[in-house]
Amino acid sequence: MRTRFTFRQLEYFVARGEAGSIVHVSERINVSSPTISAAIADLESVFDIQLFVRQHAQGLTLTPGGRRFFNRVKTLLADVGSLHELASDIAEKTYFAARVGGIHWSSGDQVAEAGLEE
């Protein structure tokens, strides 16, 4: 059993959980159906759970456990997205402090945010 997975696999899983059919997912994210199916099968193998019930005429339906997993993965992916936003915000700002003579000057609360001592 594999013990690793990728965020891309999680993204495919969420896309599939949100869409009506694997064909719609494939068209929406521009990835082949077999690739999406393989990603989901890998996740099921890694976590040793069944995420979807496969019904030939109706496609895939999330299992109750799959629904719980889906909700947690959506939260996780949102958190990852907020990390990107945070990193962009940090990269755009300059944090510094200076002591000139006896006067201490800083760029506001940003010194504390950056973990610098006053």
Side-chain angles (χ1 to χ4, degrees), residues 25-41:
V25 174
S26 180
E27 291 171 354
R28 189 175 93 198
I29 62 176
N30 199 28
V31 176
S32 71
S33 295
T35 300
I36 296 166
S37 294
I40 292 169

Side-chain angles (χ1 to χ4, degrees), residues 6-34:
T6 66
F7 284 111
R8 184 153 317 231
Q9 288 171 313
L10 296 176
E11 290 168 342
Y12 292 170
F13 165 70
V14 167
R16 177 54 194 97
E18 291 175 338
S21 76
I22 200 152
V23 172
H24 290 124
V25 174
S26 180
E27 291 171 354
R28 189 175 93 198
I29 62 176
N30 199 28
V31 176
S32 71
S33 295

Side-chain angles (χ1 to χ4, degrees), residues 1-117:
M1 180 172 78
R2 291 181 33 216
T3 57
R4 293 183 172 220
F5 59 93
T6 66
F7 284 111
R8 184 153 317 231
Q9 288 171 313
L10 296 176
E11 290 168 342
Y12 292 170
F13 165 70
V14 167
R16 177 54 194 97
E18 291 175 338
S21 76
I22 200 152
V23 172
H24 290 124
V25 174
S26 180
E27 291 171 354
R28 189 175 93 198
I29 62 176
N30 199 28
V31 176
S32 71
S33 295
T35 300
I36 296 166
S37 294
I40 292 169
D42 284 349
L43 285 175
E44 290 178 321
S45 176
V46 166
F47 292 103
D48 197 27
I49 58 175
Q50 184 177 358
L51 298 170
F52 291 96
V53 174
R54 286 144 179 90
Q55 301 169 333
H56 182 65
Q58 299 170 337
L60 301 177
T61 304
L62 285 165
T63 64
R67 172 63 55 194
R68 289 177 54 206
F69 193 80
F70 172 82
N71 290 333
R72 180 63 185 102
V73 169
K74 279 186 72 166
T75 301
L76 175 68
L77 293 175
D79 289 346
V80 168
S82 69
L83 284 176
H84 286 287
E85 292 170 16
L86 175 63
S88 293
D89 185 51
I90 291 169
E92 291 173 3
K93 293 183 179 172
T94 303
Y95 300 98
F96 59 90
R99 183 176 298 276
V100 179
I103 301 171
H104 181 81
W105 182 85
S106 70
S107 59
D109 294 336
Q110 296 158 340
V111 171
E113 291 174 17
L116 300 175
E117 301 264 334

